[in-house]
Amino acid sequence: MATGKYSRVDGRKSSSYCSIATIVVFVIFCLVGIWMLMSSSIVPVKNSEFLSMETGNEVKQTLSQSDSKQFDDTSGDLSGAETREDGSGLSSKELGITNEDNSLDNLVVESNNEEKESQNSAEKNLEENHANESSDEKTESESGQKMVDEDDGKDRETNSRDRESNLETGEAENEGGEMKNKLHTESEESSGENGSESAESGKNYGVDGTADKLKHVGKEANLTEEKNGKNQDEHLELSADHNIVESKENNQASNEILPVGAQSEILTETTTQNGAWSTQAVESQNEKKSQLSSTSSKNNDHHWKLCKSTAGPDYIPCLDNWQVIRKLPSTMHYEHRERHCPDEAPTCLVPLPEGYKRSIKWPKSRDKIWYYNVPHTKLAEVKGHQNWVKVTGEYLTFPGGGTQFVNGALHYIDFIQESVPEIAWGKRTRVVLDVGCGVASFGGYLSERNVLAMSFAPKDEHEAQVQFALERGIPAILNVMGTKRLPFPSSVFDLVHCARCRVPWHVEGGKLLLELNRVLRPGGYFVWSATPVYRKGPEDVGIWQEMSRLTKSMCWELVVVKKDKLNNVGAAIYRKPTSNDCYNKRSRNAPPLCEESDDPNAAWDVPLQACMHKVPVDSAKRGSLWPAQWPERLEKPPYWLNSQVGVYGKAAQSDLTADYSHWKKVVSQSYLSGMGIDWSSVRNVMDMKAVYGGFAAALKDLKVWVMNVVPIDSPDTLPVIYERGLFGMYHDWCESFNTYPRTYDVVHADHLFSSIKKRCKLVAVIAEVDRILRPEGKLIVRDNLETISEVESMAKSLKWEIRMIYSKDNEGLLCVRKTFWRPTEEEPIKSAIV
């Protein structure tokens, strides 16, 4: 018995030695396997976790009450396709990721900690499993989690313990793994059902802009794939820094950047990758683009300086070029008020006026603005008695009057319609040109009648009149009736208005009035409210006689001459013909008809001619029929697009309809709620490349107006924009725009910068955007990734805030916010110093 007993004991010792040796060998192989797996995988992204899944089981996760409440405020997630891919190196805060602890340093440290904890967990589980097998006992596994503290956001601790493991399948729960805050149950179930499905390839960026390529290495990397796949489901939210973001924008910060329904809204003509596996061609191409973007970012680290000019905070490069103005042979035709751009566009920044404040919101801004934003009093001194503008404490106030409507613009507007009811403000008459607009009160109050007025005046002795208009939130540009055509197509304005606009219409064969005839729609009205209409002095009588002869020879019908008794003024209202019958019956060909080769739509830097273009009478030609009434004309494709091919290759009418649908979706699902823009504080908007005006049309229900710019090197779609009841102008973005600094709340650039940088320096274009954009204004850019990266780099050097960035299939969307920052070093602009 004794011998047998001792023999049995020896036998157990021998068996135990063998088991220990087996375990040691197994542990070594496990450690080697883990080391090989970790060395072939990327550093895992923080806020992810390793999850072990039994086949067919659901993965469930319970969040704390506070976390659940936070996620309830977020309306949607971005899928893996919306992971940034542009290689420009945004920090997590700039991307708008809400987890404050997502820094690259913490990411690497936590990755190392997870690897060590994973190894320790494997060893501990092996020992516990062996002990369970020897004693034939079953233990219940217990696990726990500690969620991240939103305030600290730095370290996470987990105290999960797993006492049950399956060595045959190699599945184990990671004892030191983290639990993601924002994990969709649907994503978990999908991952549980198909653990080998790989996440969409992309790049995630840490603080230093390092691109971590997500690679999938097969079945052994299922745990890593699980982390990466769920990391791509994180919410991307806008940064809500209370020190720099207005309160209403903070309320929007928890909204999704791009809704689920709009995930493909950036790219209407591109295709996404199919399949779960990436290819070497794609990986190599992406890496080249990443390196190119990185190089471009370094090259665009621009050193900005402050423009030093005589105009100071009101500097307009193409209107303040005194080197050219001083050398002009004549100023008889207002040549000194026309555009004279410097040989090289400036790349400096215009200073802010001392005491500048954020502009007052519309509609209050129509009646008053901050004095220090436009600190000019001369106009108040000269025109205050006519109720143009007055100085009232820290404000400049606008009683709504004008030279011809001292008692208010609304009465004057009603007076015009009562004189000719067919004008029908806001229905038949939608788009108006106001010549010599002053502070643009006429156009400002026309907005109450659903009328858009393009007001213009020169930069002259009426100090800052257009700047007043824009600061008030009223559409206006700087221009002059001089030697060049106006920057508009022919036959686009429903009505042209001149109230004491100081333009000598009758001189030199009526050249200036003939320019109005060019831009006035056939059947449109010209309202002339000036002293020759109602005064009987010798000079006024002489001008009236000359105007009568000229307008008759132009075949304009004098509809009515009527006096406004309240304001003690009068107006003559003319109508342009709708046929060529009158032209053919004239006894003298004066003013002459233009040559057939003369293009009436050619308007950029084209000299004026004293001739008239024939009225189109072919029903298929633009201008032969009046557009539909507003607002039907906005959505109804113009009749004259039937036989044309659109910009995007479809039939023009279908092209326009598709474009409008696209922009309605983009604006409603992305721009209005996903960029942190408080649209109640937005009034002046510019679309730098408007095409059909779809962006402006999609904003029609907001209290904003949009300046639709058609670049001179883009398809000439500006007539379509006017036909829809919108307005705009031609421009060359290699030159400065005819507006004062700090005049637009939102500037939109859709695939403009990538094309314009082929002709001129992108840094000069960005400097111009900075000039016209108000502090705290937003720039929205849609372009290819290389250009997005360049713009982003320059925006950072300007100390602008990156509000949102999105990329997909080599296309990107960027929203940045201008700040009040100005450099201290000055750069003298020799051409702008008197």
mmCIF file of all heavy atoms in Angstrom, residues 767-803:
data_model
loop_
_atom_site.group_PDB
_atom_site.id
_atom_site.type_symbol
_atom_site.label_atom_id
_atom_site.label_comp_id
_atom_site.label_asym_id
_atom_site.label_seq_id
_atom_site.Cartn_x
_atom_site.Cartn_y
_atom_site.Cartn_z
ATOM 1 N N ALA A 767 -5.647 85.650 -49.863
ATOM 2 C CA ALA A 767 -5.539 86.987 -49.266
ATOM 3 C C ALA A 767 -6.744 87.844 -49.654
ATOM 4 O O ALA A 767 -7.233 88.645 -48.838
ATOM 5 C CB ALA A 767 -4.246 87.662 -49.714
ATOM 6 N N GLU A 768 -7.244 87.682 -50.879
ATOM 7 C CA GLU A 768 -8.432 88.421 -51.300
ATOM 8 C C GLU A 768 -9.671 87.933 -50.558
ATOM 9 O O GLU A 768 -10.535 88.726 -50.178
ATOM 10 C CB GLU A 768 -8.612 88.280 -52.813
ATOM 11 C CG GLU A 768 -9.883 88.896 -53.380
ATOM 12 C CD GLU A 768 -9.965 90.400 -53.210
ATOM 13 O OE1 GLU A 768 -8.976 91.032 -52.756
ATOM 14 O OE2 GLU A 768 -11.029 90.965 -53.532
ATOM 15 N N VAL A 769 -9.766 86.620 -50.348
ATOM 16 C CA VAL A 769 -10.879 86.087 -49.558
ATOM 17 C C VAL A 769 -10.836 86.658 -48.147
ATOM 18 O O VAL A 769 -11.862 87.053 -47.583
ATOM 19 C CB VAL A 769 -10.839 84.546 -49.526
ATOM 20 C CG1 VAL A 769 -11.877 84.001 -48.547
ATOM 21 C CG2 VAL A 769 -11.084 83.973 -50.919
ATOM 22 N N ASP A 770 -9.637 86.721 -47.566
ATOM 23 C CA ASP A 770 -9.495 87.309 -46.232
ATOM 24 C C ASP A 770 -9.936 88.772 -46.246
ATOM 25 O O ASP A 770 -10.541 89.249 -45.277
ATOM 26 C CB ASP A 770 -8.045 87.200 -45.768
ATOM 27 C CG ASP A 770 -7.796 87.876 -44.436
ATOM 28 O OD1 ASP A 770 -7.939 87.211 -43.396
ATOM 29 O OD2 ASP A 770 -7.468 89.088 -44.421
ATOM 30 N N ARG A 771 -9.661 89.470 -47.319
ATOM 31 C CA ARG A 771 -10.022 90.892 -47.394
ATOM 32 C C ARG A 771 -11.531 91.091 -47.397
ATOM 33 O O ARG A 771 -12.048 91.976 -46.693
ATOM 34 C CB ARG A 771 -9.413 91.513 -48.663
ATOM 35 C CG ARG A 771 -9.500 93.036 -48.721
ATOM 36 C CD ARG A 771 -8.973 93.564 -50.057
ATOM 37 N NE ARG A 771 -9.861 93.248 -51.165
ATOM 38 C CZ ARG A 771 -10.909 93.989 -51.520
ATOM 39 N NH1 ARG A 771 -11.205 95.093 -50.853
ATOM 40 N NH2 ARG A 771 -11.666 93.626 -52.537
ATOM 41 N N ILE A 772 -12.250 90.293 -48.159
ATOM 42 C CA ILE A 772 -13.687 90.532 -48.298
ATOM 43 C C ILE A 772 -14.507 89.832 -47.211
ATOM 44 O O ILE A 772 -15.686 90.160 -47.043
ATOM 45 C CB ILE A 772 -14.188 90.101 -49.692
ATOM 46 C CG1 ILE A 772 -14.080 88.589 -49.879
ATOM 47 C CG2 ILE A 772 -13.430 90.834 -50.777
ATOM 48 C CD1 ILE A 772 -14.583 88.120 -51.228
ATOM 49 N N LEU A 773 -13.911 88.896 -46.497
ATOM 50 C CA LEU A 773 -14.637 88.153 -45.470
ATOM 51 C C LEU A 773 -14.586 88.895 -44.141
ATOM 52 O O LEU A 773 -13.535 89.382 -43.722
ATOM 53 C CB LEU A 773 -14.027 86.758 -45.317
ATOM 54 C CG LEU A 773 -14.811 85.710 -44.526
ATOM 55 C CD1 LEU A 773 -16.156 85.424 -45.187
ATOM 56 C CD2 LEU A 773 -13.995 84.423 -44.419
ATOM 57 N N ARG A 774 -15.719 88.986 -43.483
ATOM 58 C CA ARG A 774 -15.771 89.631 -42.181
ATOM 59 C C ARG A 774 -15.094 88.774 -41.118
ATOM 60 O O ARG A 774 -15.100 87.539 -41.229
ATOM 61 C CB ARG A 774 -17.232 89.862 -41.764
ATOM 62 C CG ARG A 774 -17.940 90.954 -42.535
ATOM 63 C CD ARG A 774 -19.426 91.000 -42.199
ATOM 64 N NE ARG A 774 -20.079 92.170 -42.774
ATOM 65 C CZ ARG A 774 -21.397 92.351 -42.808
ATOM 66 N NH1 ARG A 774 -22.200 91.435 -42.319
ATOM 67 N NH2 ARG A 774 -21.900 93.450 -43.347
ATOM 68 N N PRO A 775 -14.518 89.376 -40.088
ATOM 69 C CA PRO A 775 -14.053 88.579 -38.950
ATOM 70 C C PRO A 775 -15.213 87.745 -38.396
ATOM 71 O O PRO A 775 -16.336 88.244 -38.267
ATOM 72 C CB PRO A 775 -13.590 89.644 -37.948
ATOM 73 C CG PRO A 775 -13.202 90.813 -38.795
ATOM 74 C CD PRO A 775 -14.188 90.804 -39.941
ATOM 75 N N GLU A 776 -14.927 86.485 -38.115
ATOM 76 C CA GLU A 776 -15.900 85.477 -37.697
ATOM 77 C C GLU A 776 -16.760 85.001 -38.859
ATOM 78 O O GLU A 776 -17.693 84.217 -38.662
ATOM 79 C CB GLU A 776 -16.778 85.965 -36.540
ATOM 80 C CG GLU A 776 -15.985 86.274 -35.284
ATOM 81 C CD GLU A 776 -16.864 86.550 -34.074
ATOM 82 O OE1 GLU A 776 -18.077 86.806 -34.261
ATOM 83 O OE2 GLU A 776 -16.345 86.524 -32.959
ATOM 84 N N GLY A 777 -16.448 85.436 -40.085
ATOM 85 C CA GLY A 777 -17.120 84.913 -41.262
ATOM 86 C C GLY A 777 -16.587 83.536 -41.613
ATOM 87 O O GLY A 777 -15.511 83.119 -41.176
ATOM 88 N N LYS A 778 -17.334 82.817 -42.451
ATOM 89 C CA LYS A 778 -16.984 81.435 -42.794
ATOM 90 C C LYS A 778 -16.630 81.305 -44.270
ATOM 91 O O LYS A 778 -17.257 81.925 -45.136
ATOM 92 C CB LYS A 778 -18.159 80.489 -42.491
ATOM 93 C CG LYS A 778 -18.835 80.686 -41.140
ATOM 94 C CD LYS A 778 -17.928 80.455 -39.975
ATOM 95 C CE LYS A 778 -18.689 80.466 -38.650
ATOM 96 N NZ LYS A 778 -19.451 81.694 -38.387
ATOM 97 N N LEU A 779 -15.621 80.495 -44.532
ATOM 98 C CA LEU A 779 -15.252 80.108 -45.894
ATOM 99 C C LEU A 779 -15.530 78.627 -46.045
ATOM 100 O O LEU A 779 -15.028 77.814 -45.270
ATOM 101 C CB LEU A 779 -13.777 80.398 -46.176
ATOM 102 C CG LEU A 779 -13.193 79.796 -47.460
ATOM 103 C CD1 LEU A 779 -13.857 80.410 -48.691
ATOM 104 C CD2 LEU A 779 -11.678 79.977 -47.521
ATOM 105 N N ILE A 780 -16.342 78.264 -47.043
ATOM 106 C CA ILE A 780 -16.645 76.868 -47.341
ATOM 107 C C ILE A 780 -15.989 76.522 -48.671
ATOM 108 O O ILE A 780 -16.256 77.162 -49.683
ATOM 109 C CB ILE A 780 -18.159 76.622 -47.420
ATOM 110 C CG1 ILE A 780 -18.844 77.038 -46.104
ATOM 111 C CG2 ILE A 780 -18.458 75.155 -47.726
ATOM 112 C CD1 ILE A 780 -20.365 76.982 -46.176
ATOM 113 N N VAL A 781 -15.132 75.512 -48.652
ATOM 114 C CA VAL A 781 -14.378 75.132 -49.855
ATOM 115 C C VAL A 781 -14.684 73.683 -50.200
ATOM 116 O O VAL A 781 -14.613 72.799 -49.336
ATOM 117 C CB VAL A 781 -12.859 75.299 -49.640
ATOM 118 C CG1 VAL A 781 -12.109 74.973 -50.927
ATOM 119 C CG2 VAL A 781 -12.535 76.697 -49.163
ATOM 120 N N ARG A 782 -15.006 73.431 -51.449
ATOM 121 C CA ARG A 782 -15.169 72.081 -51.981
ATOM 122 C C ARG A 782 -14.182 71.945 -53.134
ATOM 123 O O ARG A 782 -14.240 72.706 -54.090
ATOM 124 C CB ARG A 782 -16.600 71.874 -52.482
ATOM 125 C CG ARG A 782 -17.671 72.273 -51.494
ATOM 126 C CD ARG A 782 -19.038 72.303 -52.158
ATOM 127 N NE ARG A 782 -19.532 70.965 -52.422
ATOM 128 C CZ ARG A 782 -20.219 70.249 -51.547
ATOM 129 N NH1 ARG A 782 -20.481 70.733 -50.358
ATOM 130 N NH2 ARG A 782 -20.638 69.041 -51.851
ATOM 131 N N ASP A 783 -13.278 70.976 -53.036
ATOM 132 C CA ASP A 783 -12.254 70.850 -54.078
ATOM 133 C C ASP A 783 -11.553 69.511 -53.926
ATOM 134 O O ASP A 783 -11.900 68.693 -53.062
ATOM 135 C CB ASP A 783 -11.253 72.011 -53.974
ATOM 136 C CG ASP A 783 -10.907 72.590 -55.334
ATOM 137 O OD1 ASP A 783 -10.501 71.797 -56.211
ATOM 138 O OD2 ASP A 783 -11.038 73.800 -55.523
ATOM 139 N N ASN A 784 -10.529 69.296 -54.767
ATOM 140 C CA ASN A 784 -9.762 68.065 -54.637
ATOM 141 C C ASN A 784 -8.883 68.135 -53.384
ATOM 142 O O ASN A 784 -8.650 69.210 -52.815
ATOM 143 C CB ASN A 784 -8.927 67.797 -55.899
ATOM 144 C CG ASN A 784 -7.938 68.908 -56.191
ATOM 145 O OD1 ASN A 784 -7.153 69.320 -55.343
ATOM 146 N ND2 ASN A 784 -7.956 69.414 -57.423
ATOM 147 N N LEU A 785 -8.382 66.977 -52.957
ATOM 148 C CA LEU A 785 -7.681 66.903 -51.675
ATOM 149 C C LEU A 785 -6.401 67.721 -51.657
ATOM 150 O O LEU A 785 -6.055 68.318 -50.629
ATOM 151 C CB LEU A 785 -7.355 65.432 -51.348
ATOM 152 C CG LEU A 785 -8.551 64.567 -50.972
ATOM 153 C CD1 LEU A 785 -8.087 63.206 -50.501
ATOM 154 C CD2 LEU A 785 -9.389 65.224 -49.884
ATOM 155 N N GLU A 786 -5.699 67.765 -52.775
ATOM 156 C CA GLU A 786 -4.463 68.538 -52.812
ATOM 157 C C GLU A 786 -4.754 70.021 -52.547
ATOM 158 O O GLU A 786 -4.059 70.674 -51.756
ATOM 159 C CB GLU A 786 -3.780 68.371 -54.168
ATOM 160 C CG GLU A 786 -2.498 69.176 -54.304
ATOM 161 C CD GLU A 786 -1.904 69.103 -55.698
ATOM 162 O OE1 GLU A 786 -2.355 68.247 -56.492
ATOM 163 O OE2 GLU A 786 -0.994 69.894 -56.000
ATOM 164 N N THR A 787 -5.796 70.535 -53.200
ATOM 165 C CA THR A 787 -6.152 71.943 -53.003
ATOM 166 C C THR A 787 -6.702 72.189 -51.610
ATOM 167 O O THR A 787 -6.385 73.206 -50.981
ATOM 168 C CB THR A 787 -7.177 72.372 -54.072
ATOM 169 O OG1 THR A 787 -6.639 72.120 -55.376
ATOM 170 C CG2 THR A 787 -7.519 73.840 -53.932
ATOM 171 N N ILE A 788 -7.524 71.267 -51.122
ATOM 172 C CA ILE A 788 -8.051 71.400 -49.754
ATOM 173 C C ILE A 788 -6.907 71.488 -48.755
ATOM 174 O O ILE A 788 -6.926 72.294 -47.817
ATOM 175 C CB ILE A 788 -8.969 70.212 -49.418
ATOM 176 C CG1 ILE A 788 -10.275 70.306 -50.214
ATOM 177 C CG2 ILE A 788 -9.260 70.152 -47.929
ATOM 178 C CD1 ILE A 788 -11.205 71.413 -49.766
ATOM 179 N N SER A 789 -5.888 70.675 -48.965
ATOM 180 C CA SER A 789 -4.733 70.676 -48.068
ATOM 181 C C SER A 789 -4.010 72.018 -48.109
ATOM 182 O O SER A 789 -3.598 72.553 -47.068
ATOM 183 C CB SER A 789 -3.778 69.550 -48.444
ATOM 184 O OG SER A 789 -2.634 69.549 -47.611
ATOM 185 N N GLU A 790 -3.851 72.576 -49.309
ATOM 186 C CA GLU A 790 -3.188 73.875 -49.438
ATOM 187 C C GLU A 790 -3.987 74.979 -48.746
ATOM 188 O O GLU A 790 -3.427 75.811 -48.023
ATOM 189 C CB GLU A 790 -2.999 74.218 -50.912
ATOM 190 C CG GLU A 790 -2.024 73.313 -51.662
ATOM 191 C CD GLU A 790 -1.898 73.719 -53.123
ATOM 192 O OE1 GLU A 790 -1.528 74.886 -53.367
ATOM 193 O OE2 GLU A 790 -2.163 72.896 -54.013
ATOM 194 N N VAL A 791 -5.295 74.985 -48.976
ATOM 195 C CA VAL A 791 -6.138 76.007 -48.366
ATOM 196 C C VAL A 791 -6.136 75.865 -46.851
ATOM 197 O O VAL A 791 -6.059 76.854 -46.109
ATOM 198 C CB VAL A 791 -7.574 75.927 -48.921
ATOM 199 C CG1 VAL A 791 -8.486 76.912 -48.201
ATOM 200 C CG2 VAL A 791 -7.583 76.200 -50.412
ATOM 201 N N GLU A 792 -6.208 74.649 -46.395
ATOM 202 C CA GLU A 792 -6.188 74.409 -44.945
ATOM 203 C C GLU A 792 -4.895 74.911 -44.317
ATOM 204 O O GLU A 792 -4.901 75.537 -43.247
ATOM 205 C CB GLU A 792 -6.353 72.916 -44.671
ATOM 206 C CG GLU A 792 -6.310 72.560 -43.198
ATOM 207 C CD GLU A 792 -6.062 71.085 -42.982
ATOM 208 O OE1 GLU A 792 -6.074 70.319 -43.961
ATOM 209 O OE2 GLU A 792 -5.825 70.701 -41.826
ATOM 210 N N SER A 793 -3.782 74.644 -44.991
ATOM 211 C CA SER A 793 -2.495 75.091 -44.471
ATOM 212 C C SER A 793 -2.439 76.609 -44.380
ATOM 213 O O SER A 793 -1.981 77.171 -43.373
ATOM 214 C CB SER A 793 -1.366 74.574 -45.375
ATOM 215 O OG SER A 793 -0.114 75.063 -44.957
ATOM 216 N N MET A 794 -2.918 77.283 -45.414
ATOM 217 C CA MET A 794 -2.910 78.748 -45.379
ATOM 218 C C MET A 794 -3.902 79.291 -44.348
ATOM 219 O O MET A 794 -3.647 80.310 -43.704
ATOM 220 C CB MET A 794 -3.218 79.296 -46.774
ATOM 221 C CG MET A 794 -2.017 79.242 -47.707
ATOM 222 S SD MET A 794 -2.307 80.032 -49.301
ATOM 223 C CE MET A 794 -3.030 78.676 -50.206
ATOM 224 N N ALA A 795 -5.031 78.612 -44.201
ATOM 225 C CA ALA A 795 -6.005 79.040 -43.193
ATOM 226 C C ALA A 795 -5.407 78.949 -41.793
ATOM 227 O O ALA A 795 -5.620 79.836 -40.956
ATOM 228 C CB ALA A 795 -7.265 78.184 -43.296
ATOM 229 N N LYS A 796 -4.648 77.910 -41.541
ATOM 230 C CA LYS A 796 -3.994 77.782 -40.233
ATOM 231 C C LYS A 796 -2.971 78.893 -40.031
ATOM 232 O O LYS A 796 -2.852 79.448 -38.931
ATOM 233 C CB LYS A 796 -3.312 76.423 -40.122
ATOM 234 C CG LYS A 796 -4.273 75.272 -39.930
ATOM 235 C CD LYS A 796 -3.502 73.974 -39.781
ATOM 236 C CE LYS A 796 -4.422 72.804 -39.522
ATOM 237 N NZ LYS A 796 -3.681 71.540 -39.364
ATOM 238 N N SER A 797 -2.232 79.214 -41.085
ATOM 239 C CA SER A 797 -1.239 80.286 -40.955
ATOM 240 C C SER A 797 -1.917 81.635 -40.742
ATOM 241 O O SER A 797 -1.302 82.557 -40.201
ATOM 242 C CB SER A 797 -0.347 80.327 -42.198
ATOM 243 O OG SER A 797 -1.068 80.741 -43.347
ATOM 244 N N LEU A 798 -3.181 81.759 -41.153
ATOM 245 C CA LEU A 798 -3.952 82.977 -40.919
ATOM 246 C C LEU A 798 -4.613 82.982 -39.540
ATOM 247 O O LEU A 798 -5.360 83.914 -39.221
ATOM 248 C CB LEU A 798 -5.041 83.120 -41.987
ATOM 249 C CG LEU A 798 -4.584 83.560 -43.380
ATOM 250 C CD1 LEU A 798 -5.677 83.277 -44.411
ATOM 251 C CD2 LEU A 798 -4.218 85.035 -43.391
ATOM 252 N N LYS A 799 -4.379 81.913 -38.769
ATOM 253 C CA LYS A 799 -4.981 81.753 -37.440
ATOM 254 C C LYS A 799 -6.497 81.567 -37.537
ATOM 255 O O LYS A 799 -7.225 81.879 -36.599
ATOM 256 C CB LYS A 799 -4.673 82.946 -36.515
ATOM 257 C CG LYS A 799 -3.228 83.410 -36.523
ATOM 258 C CD LYS A 799 -2.277 82.332 -36.070
ATOM 259 C CE LYS A 799 -0.836 82.854 -36.043
ATOM 260 N NZ LYS A 799 0.143 81.790 -35.768
ATOM 261 N N TRP A 800 -6.972 81.065 -38.676
ATOM 262 C CA TRP A 800 -8.386 80.769 -38.809
ATOM 263 C C TRP A 800 -8.691 79.444 -38.109
ATOM 264 O O TRP A 800 -7.818 78.585 -37.962
ATOM 265 C CB TRP A 800 -8.797 80.666 -40.272
ATOM 266 C CG TRP A 800 -8.780 81.980 -40.999
ATOM 267 C CD1 TRP A 800 -8.362 83.185 -40.518
ATOM 268 C CD2 TRP A 800 -9.202 82.223 -42.344
ATOM 269 N NE1 TRP A 800 -8.494 84.168 -41.463
ATOM 270 C CE2 TRP A 800 -9.012 83.595 -42.604
ATOM 271 C CE3 TRP A 800 -9.723 81.423 -43.339
ATOM 272 C CZ2 TRP A 800 -9.313 84.178 -43.830
ATOM 273 C CZ3 TRP A 800 -10.027 82.001 -44.564
ATOM 274 C CH2 TRP A 800 -9.836 83.351 -44.807
ATOM 275 N N GLU A 801 -9.935 79.284 -37.714
ATOM 276 C CA GLU A 801 -10.360 78.060 -37.050
ATOM 277 C C GLU A 801 -10.846 77.047 -38.089
ATOM 278 O O GLU A 801 -11.642 77.393 -38.959
ATOM 279 C CB GLU A 801 -11.496 78.351 -36.064
ATOM 280 C CG GLU A 801 -11.125 79.332 -34.971
ATOM 281 C CD GLU A 801 -12.358 79.854 -34.269
ATOM 282 O OE1 GLU A 801 -13.444 79.259 -34.459
ATOM 283 O OE2 GLU A 801 -12.247 80.849 -33.545
ATOM 284 N N ILE A 802 -10.377 75.830 -37.970
ATOM 285 C CA ILE A 802 -10.860 74.759 -38.836
ATOM 286 C C ILE A 802 -12.138 74.222 -38.198
ATOM 287 O O ILE A 802 -12.096 73.544 -37.184
ATOM 288 C CB ILE A 802 -9.812 73.645 -38.986
ATOM 289 C CG1 ILE A 802 -8.444 74.243 -39.370
ATOM 290 C CG2 ILE A 802 -10.281 72.613 -40.006
ATOM 291 C CD1 ILE A 802 -8.421 74.959 -40.682
ATOM 292 N N ARG A 803 -13.257 74.528 -38.799
ATOM 293 C CA ARG A 803 -14.538 74.131 -38.202
ATOM 294 C C ARG A 803 -14.936 72.713 -38.582
ATOM 295 O O ARG A 803 -15.553 71.993 -37.809
ATOM 296 C CB ARG A 803 -15.641 75.101 -38.635
ATOM 297 C CG ARG A 803 -15.373 76.550 -38.304
ATOM 298 C CD ARG A 803 -15.049 76.764 -36.843
ATOM 299 N NE ARG A 803 -16.106 76.314 -35.962
ATOM 300 C CZ ARG A 803 -17.146 77.053 -35.612
ATOM 301 N NH1 ARG A 803 -17.254 78.281 -36.054
ATOM 302 N NH2 ARG A 803 -18.079 76.560 -34.810
#
